[in-house]
Amino acid sequence: MKSPLAYHFNQVEHYYGTNKALDIKELAIPRGSITGIAGPNGSGKSTLLKLMTFAESPRFGEILFNGKKEHLFSPSVRFEISLLTQKPYLLKRTVFENTAYGLKIRKNSKDIRARVEEALSKVGLPFEDFAKRRWHQLSGGEAQRVALAARLALHPQVLLLDEPTASVDAESAARIRDASLAARRDWGTTLVIVSHDPQWLNEISDTTLHLFEGKAVKPGRNTMIPGPWTTQPNHMAFCDLGGGQRFFAPDPPARDAMGLISAHDIKLDPPEKSREFTNQLEGIVTHLVLDPKTAMVIASIRVGDLMVITLIDQQTVAASGLYPGRVVTLFARPSAVTWL
């Protein structure tokens, strides 16, 4: 019986020289799930994906794949896991040849044309219009979609995406999202997606894992609040969000500490009266998307330079007449902030 987990990390540490790049005590990624990975530059996101391909082994700990410990470049892993990098390399050939290349390498010569046509269709590139085009005749977004199609043609068990929508147009970002969701729907593909775009990541992911300095934070819908923090005599501190707005929190462990607050702890309505100081922030709604698992609406709200994520029930959204572009007031307790 196959493990219900695609990946299970146990006490994993990875180093580059003496620099600890990753320190994950435990991480479980269910089969058929879509996990978003967020975090600042240098937090270990790309290292995490690299370990998931089994192209490198962690210095310490173990990573189980489908419940088993695998070896580097094991065929049972190599033919089941596919990685799309931020700037994938296309062969100096036609779109058809680029999309079919992996199938030929894996000696999967059955129905190549049908597999290529299906993969191109999933990323919104009609076979008749694009199959014969050369690599240099593609826009940046089209090239990224061809690279994704080449991986989808393999019907991978696991698809790892590293900043798949960086520097692509809005249409391509939407096509990449739809194709990724279709892979899960049609083949049960497990997806792990790294992105700096919280709005796009919330649209596609079942949950989001935050990384900071190589450490994993409990998955969920969260907002990361970066320093620097200015301490005050009352054991409180604040960081500037831009536009004259400040976020208050208890004294941080360091000036440049990273704060984290759950979407459940950010409210549209003022909380009950309390002696505890409450953050009151003005922001602009940028995006609303329904979370099919919870039936809650995930709202992305721009507060100064910070993108804040909150969860709102559908009745409140309807009653409040929320829509992208509307200015709203958010409330959050400083005590809800945890430090990474």
Side-chain angles (χ1 to χ4, degrees):
M1 182 176 178
K2 280 189 176 182
S3 168
L5 298 179
Y7 290 96
H8 186 205
F9 283 61
N10 184 28
Q11 303 296 321
V12 169
E13 294 182 25
H14 194 55
Y15 293 76
Y16 293 115
T18 59
N19 178 50
K20 183 186 286 189
L22 211 59
D23 183 3
I24 297 182
K25 303 306 180 187
E26 185 175 19
L27 172 61
I29 296 181
R31 291 169 56 85
S33 64
I34 302 180
T35 302
I37 307 292
N41 291 335
S43 59
K45 303 186 298 296
S46 294
T47 298
L48 179 65
L49 291 190
K50 191 176 295 184
L51 292 181
M52 285 182 168
T53 67
F54 292 91
E56 289 185 16
S57 292
R59 183 84 62 88
F60 301 105
E62 66 177 7
I63 303 173
L64 302 182
F65 181 64
N66 291 331
K68 297 179 180 179
K69 190 172 183 179
E70 295 287 358
H71 302 290
L72 293 181
F73 304 107
S74 165
S76 61
V77 170
R78 183 159 44 94
F79 294 151
E80 298 294 344
I81 301 173
S82 190
L83 170 66
L84 178 67
T85 59
Q86 182 175 344
K87 295 182 180 179
Y89 174 78
L90 289 185
L91 300 171
K92 295 181 179 180
R93 302 178 186 179
T94 65
V95 167
F96 181 93
E97 291 168 319
N98 269 283
T99 309
Y101 183 75
L103 291 170
K104 294 178 179 178
I105 289 294
R106 298 184 185 190
K107 298 181 179 179
N108 187 343
S109 58
K110 184 179 180 180
D111 299 326
I112 285 183
R113 188 187 188 282
R115 293 278 282 265
V116 169
E117 187 170 0
E118 175 193 39
L120 289 176
S121 175
K122 274 184 162 52
V123 298
L125 300 176
F127 185 88
E128 295 76 11
D129 296 335
F130 283 89
K132 294 182 180 180
R133 289 196 193 183
R134 304 285 290 176
W135 82 99
H136 58 80
Q137 296 175 309
L138 302 172
S139 68
E142 290 168 347
Q144 184 77 324
R145 286 151 69 183
V146 169
L148 176 58
R151 284 137 182 93
L152 294 176
L154 303 172
H155 293 187
Q157 187 180 138
V158 173
L159 181 58
L160 309 174
L161 306 178
D162 192 358
E163 297 288 357
T165 61
S167 303
V168 303
D169 56 276
E171 180 187 358
S172 292
R175 293 289 189 178
I176 291 169
R177 177 200 62 211
D178 293 345
S180 300
L181 290 171
R184 195 255 293 267
R185 181 192 66 229
D186 296 344
W187 311 315
T189 300
T190 302
L191 291 107
V192 181
I193 307 172
V194 166
S195 177
H196 276 97
D197 185 344
Q199 179 175 303
W200 187 88
L201 206 56
N202 278 319
E203 285 184 3
I204 192 172
S205 303
D206 299 327
T207 190
T208 300
L209 176 74
H210 292 267
L211 290 181
F212 183 66
E213 295 183 348
K215 296 182 179 180
V217 182
K218 184 179 179 180
R221 306 289 184 188
N222 303 299
T223 297
M224 299 182 79
I225 310 169
W229 296 87
T230 301
T231 57
Q232 296 182 304
N234 60 353
H235 301 293
M236 298 288 289
F238 67 84
C239 70
D240 287 313
L241 301 182
Q245 301 203 74
R246 293 175 172 179
F247 195 101
F248 291 85
D251 274 345
R255 186 172 185 270
D256 291 323
M258 180 70 74
L260 189 82
I261 186 167
S262 168
H264 295 283
D265 292 318
I266 298 175
K267 310 292 185 181
L268 276 181
D269 297 318
E272 295 178 2
K273 290 183 178 180
S274 171
R275 296 175 63 184
E276 182 184 20
F277 182 85
T278 300
N279 287 297
Q280 183 170 325
L281 307 166
E282 187 174 277
I284 299 175
V285 177
T286 63
H287 198 71
L288 299 170
V289 62
L290 182 67
D291 183 349
K293 295 187 72 175
T294 64
M296 297 285 282
V297 174
I298 307 168
S300 301
I301 300 172
R302 173 69 66 180
V303 178
D305 299 324
L306 183 69
M307 184 65 74
V308 175
I309 305 299
T310 185
L311 293 172
I312 311 170
D313 63 76
Q314 296 181 56
Q315 292 76 15
T316 300
V317 171
S320 303
L322 286 184
Y323 55 86
R326 179 171 175 179
V327 176
V328 295
T329 301
L330 301 176
F331 299 86
R333 298 185 185 280
S335 59
V337 174
T338 58
W339 300 109
L340 306 185

